[in-house]
Amino acid sequence: MSLVVRPRRLRRTPALRRLVADVRVSPADLVLPVFVKEGLTAPVAIPSMPGVVQHSRDSVLRAASEAAAAGIGGLVVFGIPSVKDARGSGADDPEGVVQLAVADLVREVGEDLVVMTDLCLDEYTDHGHCGLLTPDGEVDNDSTLARYASVAVAQVRAGSQVVAPSGMMDGQVAAIRAALDGEGFTGVPILAYSAKYASAFYGPFRDAAECAPQFGDRSAYQQDAARPTSEGVREALLDIAEGADAVMVKPALAYLDVVRAVAEAVDVPVAAYQVSGEYAMVEAAAAHGWLDRRRTVLETITGIRRAGAGMVFTYWATEAAGWLTEG
Ligand code: PBG
């Protein structure tokens, strides 16, 4: 055969493949989500996320040191209070678990990586929704904004280096920016979970963070998977107009078109969150011997980077960073 065009030529050897590889994942691109639960004295396993735990205040410091040693770019901290109420009081309590843990983490690893906080109410409310409820049980956008503003200030006072609002209330970025600026925290960035979809892939997280909605679901505030890609772009552009310094698409796997479209439309950093269900799916299949765990993990992260995300939030961050540096 006299084929002239042979794409396989560049795939023949490992050295050639390495030379032409375009999408590179480095540990600095990865962000590890961590859960810290009030009152724990030892870590507690999360059955639906094998390998992931609810941390005690001590054990999260060990995980953070390992993550820093592996060279990852950041941590995002989720707090689980022992007492929940309708307004999520634990979220902005200066003595609340997330504030205490963040202060410890910043002291421990705050110069080696970026310590971020997830900014939402669902881990702190007894009803499990991301905002305050009206008397007839709807999540009230505008009264929730004042709560987010207060939570942002509490988190940053505790030392949070980036706040990451994930509640999908309209106007949340503007409200948080104004509150932070009002306290003089003009230099603290907001990484907005901008395009966040109402997703079945959050299932295991709700065990991890003990935040399953006690009634209904989040479809009245999180986005609908069946809307066109451009709606995700619109949400990202709105957040940037409100002052977001970086934007996120979440989940990653089922929304890679949104990652791509947002990356092309914006000129701020773009993150994607490989969520709990994406993690659980691979772990479950790997545990059965149905998937090669390491290859699958690295392939999914590479795919998310190729779609256009500069940062990938993933529960595999520390382990994947180890694999990436051992080559
Ligand atoms: C809301 C929040 C959620 C996740 C991150 N932030 C849950 C939700 O919206 O129901 C999900 C993360 C995951 O599934 O890994 N505070």
Side-chain angles (χ1 to χ4, degrees):
M1 277 299 275
S2 64
L3 281 178
V4 172
V5 180
R6 291 184 182 270
R8 286 181 51 179
R9 284 183 197 116
L10 291 177
R11 299 178 194 142
R12 262 186 45 242
T13 69
L16 272 168
R17 292 194 293 274
R18 185 164 69 103
L19 175 70
V20 301
D22 192 28
V23 178
R24 311 223 183 233
V25 183
S26 80
D29 306 327
L30 306 178
V31 176
L32 177 71
V34 293
F35 304 104
V36 189
K37 185 172 173 181
E38 190 168 21
L40 289 187
T41 50
V44 173
I46 301 162
S48 53
M49 299 178 75
V52 179
V53 299
Q54 292 178 323
H55 281 290
S56 66
R57 277 181 60 200
D58 284 337
S59 73
V60 78
L61 295 180
R62 288 193 291 280
S65 300
E66 277 173 40
I72 72 165
L75 299 174
V76 62
V77 187
F78 294 87
I80 307 151
S82 41
V83 180
K84 306 190 186 216
D85 62 17
R87 52 192 299 282
S89 303
D92 53 342
D93 178 352
E95 298 297 311
V97 63
V98 70
Q99 270 68 253
L100 299 177
V102 163
D104 294 341
L105 286 164
V106 168
R107 216 176 303 117
E108 189 89 357
V109 294
E111 290 185 1
D112 305 322
L113 48 68
V114 181
V115 178
M116 316 184 201
T117 40
D118 183 84
L119 199 173
C120 197
L121 288 179
D122 58 328
E123 299 94 339
Y124 304 90
T125 52
D126 51 11
H127 45 74
H129 278 288
C130 297
L132 301 180
L133 302 181
T134 62
D136 41 355
E138 276 186 51
V139 175
D140 186 41
N141 194 86
D142 296 11
S143 62
T144 300
L145 298 180
R147 295 289 300 126
Y148 287 178
S150 172
V151 175
V153 169
Q155 292 180 343
V156 174
R157 279 194 188 133
S160 177
Q161 297 167 332
V162 172
V163 294
S166 64
M168 289 302 280
M169 296 303 126
D170 292 335
Q172 64 185 15
V173 172
I176 291 165
R177 186 72 270 159
L180 291 178
D181 291 353
E183 292 293 314
F185 297 129
T186 53
V188 177
I190 299 174
L191 191 173
Y193 289 67
S194 298
K196 178 170 174 182
Y197 290 82
S199 174
F201 285 103
Y202 305 149
F205 174 91
R206 292 175 186 175
D207 297 336
E210 302 175 9
C211 64
Q214 297 305 298
F215 63 90
D217 59 29
R218 305 203 205 289
S219 311
Y221 40 106
Q222 298 178 346
Q223 288 174 255
D224 184 349
R227 292 283 303 151
T229 313
S230 57
E231 187 181 272
V233 175
R234 177 169 185 241
E235 288 277 7
L237 293 174
L238 280 171
D239 282 354
I240 293 166
E242 290 180 27
D245 300 283
V247 295
M248 188 183 323
V249 176
K250 180 183 175 189
L253 179 64
Y255 300 90
L256 290 176
D257 58 320
V258 182
V259 175
R260 163 56 52 196
V262 168
E264 283 175 1
V266 308
D267 50 13
V268 300
V270 176
Y273 196 139
Q274 182 169 55
V275 301
S276 56
E278 298 176 61
Y279 177 89
M281 211 159 51
V282 174
E283 290 292 338
H288 279 87
W290 296 340
L291 284 175
D292 177 324
R293 184 171 172 276
R294 172 173 168 159
R295 283 189 58 203
T296 309
V297 169
L298 291 175
E299 184 175 333
T300 57
I301 296 172
T302 302
I304 295 165
R305 289 274 290 114
R306 192 184 62 243
M311 292 173 261
V312 181
F313 284 52
T314 174
Y315 299 96
W316 289 300
T318 303
E319 194 177 9
W323 294 333
L324 292 167
T325 40
E326 85 196 27

